[in-house]
Amino acid sequence: MQDIRWSAFWLALLLIFACLILWATHGAVTALIVFSTAICLYLAKHLYWIHKLHRWYQKPNLSSIPNGSGVWEDIFADIYHQQRRYTRNKAQISSALDRFMHAASALPDGVVVLNEKDRIEWCNPPAETQLGLDLGKDTGQPITYLVRHSDFLKYLQEQDYSEPIKLKSWRNPEITLEMQLIPFSGKQKLLICRDITQIEKLETMRRDFIANVSHELRTPLTVVSGFLETLMDMEGAVPESTRSYFGMMSEQTGRMRHLIEDLLTLSQLESGATATQDTEIDMQAQLNMLMNEAQSLSNGKHQISLEADPGISVSGAAEELHSAFGNLVSNAIRYSPAGGNIQLKWYRRGDEAVFSVKDSGIGIEQKHIDRLTERFYRVDRSRSRETGGTGLGLSIVKHILTRHQSRLEIESVLDKGSTFSVIFPKNRVIIKHPENASADNAKTTAN
Ligand code: ADP
């Protein structure tokens, strides 16, 4: 394309040159008239094409683009190519959008697109059914006007969308919905909504089944183990030659009882979402109790120490937390050979409070760590069985901690030992004033 500035420059130069010759041959007036006429014609030509361009831009149609002349021919050719590219891209985007809309409409899950102000931009038919929306009427409406469930409003405000929320449908309480917000391109959000009524029913059936079976097994087992103990205690009732068999039977019934108790605890924990009581925990008493239990379980085989910061406590369910801490302490003892060290610590880490149990035991290979809190997951089945484990301990711990919005951190090196830490979030931590803290005010250490 020729440069419009250069062509104007050469034209102006040519005109000035011609006018100078005219000045010399026909006088200044003639030269001035010719110069002015040429400039006016030049301007008129450009004004004409600008007018044409303006007219065309009001209805930009590829087939009606003017041809132009001179530099304008190049300008119109450029506009034509750009317009063609734009039309092609627009058609591609629009067809991709159509395909996306069709695909999203065919999804079994509800999908709602929200803008940065949480107003509805689009939703698919399942979302209309599940949430009672009407795309025609509700586009542009704030989602909070239409989904008026308090749990959802809280979820939206808290802005932590890492996990979905479950809630009963406000339109039909028999339906359970799982909803999750997914932020995208800046402040827009996708609201995904799924009907999980059937999954919930199955889950409830599974929980009830385990709870019922455990309950039904508990009574006969108590009878069997009771009679076994009575027989073993009765003089002459068990011949010496069979005493060891009775001992084994008693040990196995004990294991089964332990397993049933753990299963019942788990199903109880699973049936309630948040901690039942929420009181300030007397940490000093909890830790002393744990120390006593640890010492009796270890039976003098391990070095057990406790270091506790008396200035902090947490709120929660004392019994549940005692069970969680006790599981960690019992594991540390069971998986540490005689002579090992076990350190219990209660301290502050930033805004959080931490209860940790460090042992110098057998340790755990890295690949197992993520799976330890699964039900019945055991690194070494026979070792767990030998030490009276059920494979449910850490599952129970995880459930209790989830109910307390807390988490479990596990660090371990094979053959060196492990550290299991319970981290309580800021909102559960209670910082005690120095006068309320224990008398000596310093860190408590017990051995
Ligand atoms: P179990 O009743 O078998 O101990 P848990 O759920 O308490 O079940 O623990 C799961 C598994 O994690 C155990 O079987 C064991 O392999 C491993 N584990 C737990 N705590 C420790 C620990 N302190 N040291 C080594 N391994 C551990």
Side-chain angles (χ1 to χ4, degrees):
M1 176 193 163
Q2 60 190 107
D3 189 325
I4 188 164
R5 286 165 305 180
W6 277 112
S7 63
F9 171 76
W10 289 122
L11 220 69
L13 207 66
L14 193 72
L15 184 64
I16 291 168
F17 188 66
C19 288
L20 283 176
I21 294 173
L22 271 178
W23 196 344
T25 55
H26 292 79
V29 178
T30 318
L32 204 64
I33 291 171
V34 170
F35 184 78
S36 318
T37 317
I39 292 286
C40 284
L41 283 175
Y42 183 75
L43 278 179
K45 177 190 156 194
H46 284 299
L47 279 176
Y48 170 75
W49 286 119
I50 287 170
H51 167 73
K52 280 275 199 192
L53 179 64
H54 183 238
R55 284 274 303 275
W56 178 79
Y57 249 124
Q58 283 167 340
K59 268 193 190 163
N61 191 336
L62 264 188
S63 57
S64 63
I65 192 158
N67 288 331
S69 70
V71 287
W72 283 98
E73 194 178 339
D74 292 338
I75 291 172
F76 284 126
D78 256 13
I79 292 175
Y80 175 81
H81 288 301
Q82 259 182 22
Q83 194 68 16
R84 217 169 62 168
R85 260 200 311 274
Y86 167 74
T87 313
R88 209 169 30 224
N89 288 348
K90 199 170 130 192
Q92 275 169 357
I93 291 169
S94 140
S95 115
L97 194 66
D98 271 358
R99 280 200 308 262
F100 165 77
M101 297 283 198
H102 280 117
S105 298
L107 280 175
D109 295 343
V111 180
V112 185
V113 182
L114 302 175
N115 68 11
E116 60 279 7
K117 291 196 171 123
D118 296 331
R119 287 173 185 269
I120 298 169
E121 278 194 347
W122 181 83
C123 70
N124 67 355
E128 290 186 289
T129 321
Q130 287 165 2
L131 306 176
L133 304 178
D134 180 339
L135 185 58
K137 287 190 204 145
D138 298 333
T139 308
Q141 292 292 327
I143 188 75
T144 46
Y145 285 8
L146 299 151
V147 180
R148 298 203 55 82
H149 196 291
S150 56
D151 288 355
F152 176 74
L153 299 179
K154 195 166 152 232
Y155 178 64
L156 190 67
Q157 272 161 14
E158 282 178 357
Q159 302 195 344
D160 175 10
Y161 309 134
S162 51
E163 294 289 328
I165 50 158
K166 276 186 209 169
L167 39 91
K168 288 274 168 221
S169 166
W170 51 102
R171 307 178 70 227
N172 178 356
E174 304 228 317
I175 291 178
T176 310
L177 298 174
E178 185 181 77
M179 296 170 83
Q180 182 160 25
L181 282 163
I182 302 167
F184 71 99
S185 63
K187 287 187 168 169
Q188 280 188 280
K189 296 182 197 87
L190 262 189
L191 171 63
I192 310 285
C193 167
R194 180 176 299 162
D195 182 344
I196 54 159
T197 315
Q198 280 311 317
I199 301 172
E200 279 288 287
K201 270 191 191 151
L202 285 174
E203 184 62 18
T204 313
M205 271 164 65
R206 181 193 64 79
R207 247 189 342 250
D208 289 351
F209 175 75
I210 293 176
N212 290 337
V213 168
S214 311
H215 212 79
E216 291 300 321
L217 284 174
R218 191 153 66 165
T219 321
L221 255 179
T222 313
V223 174
V224 172
S225 72
F227 277 123
L228 274 173
E229 266 173 43
T230 318
L231 279 172
M232 282 174 76
D233 289 347
M234 269 167 69
E235 199 133 321
V238 181
E240 255 340 284
S241 55
T242 52
R243 190 159 269 278
S244 65
Y245 301 140
F246 272 75
M248 275 193 263
M249 286 190 324
S250 172
E251 192 186 304
Q252 292 305 318
T253 40
R255 265 200 63 217
M256 276 168 84
R257 275 223 322 262
H258 192 178
L259 186 64
I260 284 166
E261 293 304 334
D262 276 1
L263 279 171
L264 276 171
T265 310
L266 249 186
S267 58
Q268 263 163 16
L269 288 171
E270 281 178 333
S271 54
T274 47
T276 38
Q277 345 142 248
D278 238 350
T279 50
E280 181 180 337
I281 308 285
D282 182 348
M283 275 315 285
Q284 211 58 49
Q286 279 267 5
L287 295 168
N288 290 341
M289 218 163 18
L290 279 174
M291 264 309 266
N292 290 339
E293 285 167 11
Q295 258 140 6
S296 93
L297 197 66
S298 155
N299 208 10
K301 293 195 196 103
H302 305 88
Q303 287 279 331
I304 307 172
S305 66
L306 166 68
E307 201 178 294
D309 184 338
I312 41 169
S313 179
V314 281
S315 64
E319 261 184 47
E320 288 184 15
L321 290 179
H322 182 74
S323 153
F325 297 162
N327 262 305
L328 299 182
V329 174
S330 132
N331 280 354
I333 293 169
R334 289 191 298 113
Y335 296 105
S336 297
N341 275 315
I342 289 154
Q343 291 172 31
L344 315 189
K345 265 193 187 176
W346 174 242
Y347 59 98
R348 226 175 125 179
R349 193 170 77 184
D351 289 337
E352 301 171 323
V354 184
F355 170 74
S356 72
V357 183
K358 183 175 182 191
D359 65 55
S360 59
I362 59 171
I364 307 157
E365 256 185 283
Q366 210 56 33
K367 64 177 183 193
H368 297 291
I369 288 186
D370 285 345
R371 302 197 55 195
L372 291 182
T373 53
E374 286 174 20
R375 269 169 248 179
F376 295 112
Y377 190 85
R378 282 168 280 193
V379 176
D380 180 346
R381 259 169 198 280
S382 57
R383 171 140 198 158
S384 159
R385 222 173 275 138
E386 271 166 34
T387 58
T390 59
L392 293 172
L394 290 182
S395 243
I396 293 178
V397 173
K398 191 184 166 200
H399 267 87
I400 294 175
L401 298 191
T402 309
R403 282 152 69 85
H404 287 80
Q405 302 82 46
S406 307
R407 60 184 201 279
L408 181 68
E409 275 179 11
I410 307 171
E411 285 166 45
S412 191
V413 180
L414 194 62
D415 298 328
K416 290 253 159 29
S418 321
T419 306
F420 285 74
S421 309
V422 174
I423 322 289
F424 289 96
K426 185 181 167 193
N427 59 334
R428 291 237 161 231
V429 180
I430 300 165
I431 307 293
K432 301 212 269 185
H433 295 295
E435 62 270 20
N436 297 340
S438 92
D440 54 9
N441 235 352
K443 289 193 173 183
T444 322
T445 310
N447 269 307

